């Protein structure tokens, strides 16, 4: 018999985004309306927030010490930004993250995470 066709499964299909939004990214006091070009994370600076893109899009830009800034990644609606620096040991961001268009994001801080094992 032949090999069955492999299906590609997206991360969104493996996670319940509605549950994540409801439990972590729904506090109206932690909702930001960003204008195009507005920065939410700065390269080399401590990042204590993780962001959920409710609408719009963001991109991460890297600027080497002796070079021009260039785009490293882009995100869209229902994506999380700042995950790596939020959980990294030193907590500093590798990129500067900016809104590519007017966007709405929610954020959480490290102090809002449940304790490990809870």
């Amino acid at each position: 018999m032949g090999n069955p066709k492999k299906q590609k499964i997206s991360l969104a299909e493996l996670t319940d985004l509605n549950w994540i939004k409801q439990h972590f990214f729904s506090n109206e006091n932690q909702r930001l309306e960003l204008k195009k070009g507005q920065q939410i994370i700065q390269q080399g600076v401590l990042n204590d927030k993780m962001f959920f893109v409710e609408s719009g899009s963001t991109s991460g830009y890297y600027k080497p010490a002796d070079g021009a800034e260039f785009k490293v990644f882009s995100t869209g609606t229902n994506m999380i930004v700042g995950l790596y620096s939020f959980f990294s040991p030193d907590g500093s961001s590798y990129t500067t993250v900016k809104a590519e268009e007017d966007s709405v994001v929610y954020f959480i801080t490290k102090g809002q995470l449940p304790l490990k094992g809870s």
Side-chain angles (χ1 to χ4, degrees):
M1 304 233 156
N3 292 334
K5 287 185 178 179
K6 290 184 179 181
Q7 286 185 305
K8 290 186 178 183
I9 300 173
S10 70
L11 179 59
E13 292 173 304
L14 295 174
T15 59
D16 183 348
L17 289 176
N18 288 325
W19 185 89
I20 291 170
K21 283 172 57 174
Q22 179 182 357
H23 287 87
F24 296 104
F25 299 102
S26 61
N27 182 340
E28 287 297 319
N29 294 323
Q30 292 174 257
R31 179 180 188 267
L32 301 174
E33 293 183 13
L34 306 174
K35 295 293 182 193
K36 180 180 179 178
Q38 189 172 346
Q39 178 180 301
I40 55 174
I41 299 173
Q42 184 176 344
Q43 178 179 327
V45 175
L46 181 68
N47 175 34
D48 67 346
K49 293 180 179 75
M50 185 168 33
F51 299 88
F52 182 87
V53 181
E54 173 85 5
S55 65
S57 61
T58 64
S59 291
Y61 294 87
Y62 178 75
K63 184 177 187 319
D66 58 350
E69 180 178 79
F70 62 92
K71 188 185 295 188
V72 177
F73 67 85
S74 293
T75 66
T77 301
N78 292 329
M79 295 183 78
I80 294 175
V81 180
L83 187 67
Y84 178 78
S85 56
F86 187 80
F87 288 108
S88 71
D90 73 356
S92 63
S93 180
Y94 179 70
T95 62
T96 294
V97 179
K98 304 174 188 178
E100 286 295 304
E101 61 187 303
D102 290 354
S103 303
V104 174
V105 298
Y106 284 82
F107 68 89
I108 61 170
T109 63
K110 288 186 179 186
Q112 293 176 283
L113 289 178
L115 296 175
K116 189 175 180 178
S118 317

